[in-house]
Amino acid sequence: MAKPAQGAKYRGSIHDFPDFDPGQDAEALYTAMKGFGSDKEAILELITSRSNRQRQEICQSYKSLYGKDLIADLKYELTGKFERLIVGLMRPLAYCDAKEIKDAISGIGTDEKCLIEILASRTNEQIHQLVAAYKDAYERDLEADIIGDTSGHFQKMLVVLLQGTREADDVVSEDLVQQDVQDLYEAGELKWGTDEAQFIYILGNRSKQHLRLVFDEYLKTTGKPIEASIRGELSGDFEKLMLAVVKCIRSTPEYFAERLFKAMKGLGTRDNTLIRIMVTRSELDMLDIREIFRTKYEKSLYSMIKNDTSGDYKKALLKLCGGDDDAAGQFFPEAAQVAYQMWELSAVARVELKGTVCPVDNFNPDADAKALRKAMKGLGTDEDTIIDIITHRSNAQRQQIRQTFKSHFGRDLMADLKSEISGDLARLILGLMMPPAHYDAKQLKKAMEGAGTDEKALIEILATRTNAEIRAICEAYKEDYHKSLEDALSSDTSGHFKRILISLATGNREEAGEDRDQAREDAQEIADRPSGDKTSLETRFMTILCTRSYPHLRRVFQEFVKMTNYDVEHIIKKEMSGDVRDVFVAIVQSVKNKPLFFADKLYKSMKGAGTDEKTLTRIMISRSEIDLLNIRREFIEKYDKSLHQAIEGDTSGDFLKALIAVCGGED
């Protein structure tokens, strides 16, 4: 097991057992497995309470005392996932990795995800130990076996990583940073085709610290993160491997937190992944993984394991986890700092917002108007032409087409479209044809008319729009419905929820940057929670969340974490309920990362049985020229599948065609 660097703080969850006696432990394990049945509780309690080094001593003592192999006896006595976990813990880390890789490349098919996870995340020293352990255990050359089981650029990058020759972290050159940025840019974005060799050489050999500077500079130079370029230029397992390398360079614990979350989310559990990570990181960085997990997913790793596994397997995993960070609904102090740093980075990284629908070159409204008229004239309708024109023009261009259509044919294009198409396709096409403010105004009107109110739609629109957008919506609402939006909200909602929505609907959010002193005061204001005074708390949150600028609120959230060890979103969910909670959470999520907020909404609109077509349509229309490209990137990052794939799997027919066109590409 690799020792932490001199003076570095130990970040594992498993420690050496005090007063350790390997002979006594060997005897206890022998007793637990002797006779009919085995005492699994005693086995898991003992093995998960000893460090890997101590477990190796127990194995030696067991062989000396009983002339038997402890791992073989454990395999005989235990079964299933519990056996795999316990046996994994009994192997030295390098041999555990070697066994995982041997399993990944044995038999029919290859477990590429396992190869990627291990080889992208290990240090030079761990790689060298792995290669030696593989040779010792299987009398085979690991590099030769990898070459025999993989191919192409994926194989080449794996072989580079297997050399374990990444430069040390103190090897950083400012001049070389600029050169690497230029080389990566020219190898991908600026080249017809991609020079994969440059990506392999730079990402496979430079030091982590050097590459972090390269990634920062790449974002400043190109306006997009390196991950976006990798997704755009590479494909398949090679793309997945390079993304894993980038993630591990940015933060290895964050990479593993994400892998653990994906292993347990949704239906079914990827137990092999869960076991491998819990075993191999328990004495390296499990505390860091836990902190980032809690920060990123707003639940503890412990609670997710508890809800997703069972029996002795669950008990053993929870022992390796080492503690529940949700026990008091609180970050432990280091996690607060992680959260603080994550928001600091998000504030610094000014990622350019981009839509997927742009003005078409050589625009000819006259030709478009005639083509649309022809598509709707006579028997039948040419939906393909309608979809092609309307989804490939900017909103401003669509307004010109409407005007030209009326001038030429004396007809209202919207009315003609309504009579020719129907259902989900009609909602999407007609929505695209409306000016954005009038479209939002209509969605708000629909959310409030008839029996019941669609609070989710009200929240989604009013909590995410800019001042300029809100003011335009208010004007459009007045013009279209001869009533102020404020009056409509007043008559259709009530209590604190009404007051929050009306505050948002004024469009008077401050637009200045952050004020650190004021941010500390604001954080203190919402941190003070007199027992039982829910009304006062909601009012104080409203005063700050509905009026301060986004950059300032980001700083407030950071100061709040620093001050309390709590995430502001967690407090809202804990202290509030219903629509008030939902609107405050939407504001906070929008401030943290608006594209991610919409990516989550899109995912939820399509997951499970049935599709929420209204939400799906509304977001695709309203974000298509603002940040849908950013939303796509967040979607694939979080859900491991592209928005394009999700839409393809959940919709059909002309509605699918139109949505895919608006989506703008497959990631």
Side-chain angles (χ1 to χ4, degrees), residues 368 370-390 416-417 419-421 425 429 654 657:
D368 284 348
K370 286 175 181 171
L372 286 170
R373 175 70 179 139
K374 185 180 175 185
M376 294 185 284
K377 204 172 167 185
L379 282 173
T381 306
D382 181 358
E383 284 91 354
D384 285 345
T385 295
I386 294 170
I387 291 167
D388 185 54
I389 291 173
I390 290 173
D416 280 7
L417 286 166
S419 68
E420 293 292 329
I421 54 177
L425 177 65
I429 294 296
D654 291 323
K657 286 181 195 171

Side-chain angles (χ1 to χ4, degrees), residues 211-332:
L211 284 170
R212 285 181 198 121
L213 296 174
V214 169
F215 299 161
D216 290 346
E217 204 54 44
Y218 191 91
L219 179 62
K220 288 179 197 166
T221 302
T222 68
K224 61 165 69 175
I226 188 70
E227 292 90 338
S229 291
I230 288 171
R231 287 198 187 96
E233 299 298 325
L234 313 180
S235 61
D237 293 321
F238 180 47
E239 175 197 341
K240 292 188 182 94
L241 173 58
M242 298 307 259
L243 286 171
V245 169
V246 170
K247 283 176 185 174
C248 289
I249 285 159
R250 289 195 189 279
S251 168
T252 304
E254 186 170 352
Y255 170 71
F256 282 114
E258 187 179 303
R259 291 278 295 156
L260 285 167
F261 179 75
K262 286 176 179 173
M264 292 182 280
K265 73 167 185 157
L267 288 172
T269 305
R270 298 173 196 171
D271 293 291
N272 286 357
T273 301
L274 178 57
I275 291 166
R276 184 170 58 245
I277 297 172
M278 295 303 291
V279 168
T280 59
R281 310 313 291 188
S282 60
E283 293 181 51
L284 293 174
D285 52 5
M286 186 56 69
L287 294 186
D288 295 322
I289 293 167
R290 273 170 45 187
E291 290 167 5
I292 290 172
F293 194 99
R294 176 66 186 79
T295 303
K296 200 166 180 181
Y297 303 112
E298 292 153 13
K299 63 178 81 177
S300 68
L301 175 59
Y302 188 98
S303 67
M304 198 157 183
I305 291 170
K306 195 173 177 181
N307 293 330
D308 214 64
T309 58
S310 59
D312 294 318
Y313 174 52
K314 172 170 82 172
K315 288 177 190 171
L317 286 170
L318 293 177
K319 288 276 287 182
L320 295 180
C321 184
D324 186 0
D325 312 319
D326 266 349
Q330 191 174 9
F331 288 134
F332 40 122

Side-chain angles (χ1 to χ4, degrees), residues 392-600:
H392 292 100
R393 306 295 183 269
S394 68
N395 195 277
Q397 290 176 333
R398 292 181 210 125
Q399 302 318 310
Q400 285 183 253
I401 295 169
R402 281 179 73 174
Q403 187 60 54
T404 304
F405 194 90
K406 185 159 257 183
S407 299
H408 275 343
F409 307 111
R411 302 172 67 90
D412 179 38
L413 176 55
M414 295 288 277
D416 280 7
L417 286 166
K418 268 185 194 175
S419 68
E420 293 292 329
I421 54 177
S422 60
D424 294 325
L425 177 65
R427 271 192 290 274
L428 180 62
I429 294 296
L430 292 167
L432 287 167
M433 289 305 302
M434 296 179 73
H438 289 266
Y439 178 72
D440 277 348
K442 185 175 182 182
Q443 297 310 300
L444 291 169
K445 179 78 163 62
K446 279 179 171 289
M448 292 184 280
E449 68 187 7
T453 304
D454 183 353
E455 290 87 2
K456 286 182 180 176
L458 296 180
I459 291 168
E460 178 203 301
I461 295 169
L462 294 174
T464 61
R465 301 309 192 248
T466 64
N467 283 345
E469 288 166 342
I470 291 281
R471 288 167 193 157
I473 292 167
C474 288
E475 284 178 28
Y477 199 95
K478 185 81 172 174
E479 182 185 331
D480 294 344
Y481 308 112
H482 312 294
K483 182 178 185 179
S484 75
L485 177 57
E486 184 178 329
D487 287 346
L489 291 167
S490 290
S491 58
D492 207 68
T493 57
S494 60
H496 264 290
F497 183 54
K498 175 177 83 174
R499 286 193 283 279
I500 294 163
L501 292 182
I502 288 172
S503 176
L504 292 171
T506 60
N508 284 325
R509 185 179 292 284
E510 294 166 358
E511 293 186 346
E514 65 180 61
D515 177 334
R516 290 198 180 215
D517 293 335
Q518 183 63 52
R520 279 189 282 274
E521 285 180 33
D522 287 345
Q524 189 64 59
E525 180 73 12
I526 55 178
D528 293 335
R529 296 192 301 282
S531 180
D533 190 3
K534 191 174 173 183
T535 303
S536 165
L537 180 65
E538 289 175 353
T539 301
R540 282 182 282 130
F541 265 87
M542 184 180 84
T543 303
I544 291 163
L545 293 185
C546 296
T547 64
R548 306 291 194 255
S549 72
Y550 271 32
H552 180 82
L553 283 173
R554 235 181 240 116
R555 180 63 64 184
V556 173
F557 300 162
Q558 287 175 281
E559 295 298 337
F560 187 86
V561 170
K562 206 168 161 186
M563 203 175 278
T564 66
N565 278 1
Y566 283 87
D567 177 71
V568 71
E569 190 175 332
H570 182 89
I571 290 300
I572 291 166
K573 288 175 177 173
K574 185 181 173 193
E575 301 284 341
M576 301 176 199
S577 60
D579 298 326
V580 170
R581 175 199 61 209
D582 293 346
V583 70
F584 282 152
V585 166
I587 294 168
V588 171
Q589 290 178 345
S590 187
V591 168
K592 285 180 181 176
N593 185 335
K594 196 179 286 186
L596 179 58
F597 169 79
F598 283 115
D600 285 340

Side-chain angles (χ1 to χ4, degrees), residues 166-167 169 171-187 198-227 229-230 245-246 249-250 349:
R166 187 176 295 286
E167 293 166 343
D169 263 357
V171 180
V172 177
S173 159
E174 290 296 332
D175 293 338
L176 197 53
V177 166
Q178 295 296 337
Q179 186 60 54
D180 283 348
V181 168
Q182 194 59 35
D183 287 347
L184 287 170
Y185 192 43
E186 288 174 3
Q198 278 286 21
F199 279 85
I200 291 170
Y201 176 72
I202 293 170
L203 293 181
N205 291 285
R206 301 284 192 248
S207 75
K208 284 190 168 189
Q209 188 54 41
H210 177 88
L211 284 170
R212 285 181 198 121
L213 296 174
V214 169
F215 299 161
D216 290 346
E217 204 54 44
Y218 191 91
L219 179 62
K220 288 179 197 166
T221 302
T222 68
K224 61 165 69 175
I226 188 70
E227 292 90 338
S229 291
I230 288 171
V245 169
V246 170
I249 285 159
R250 289 195 189 279

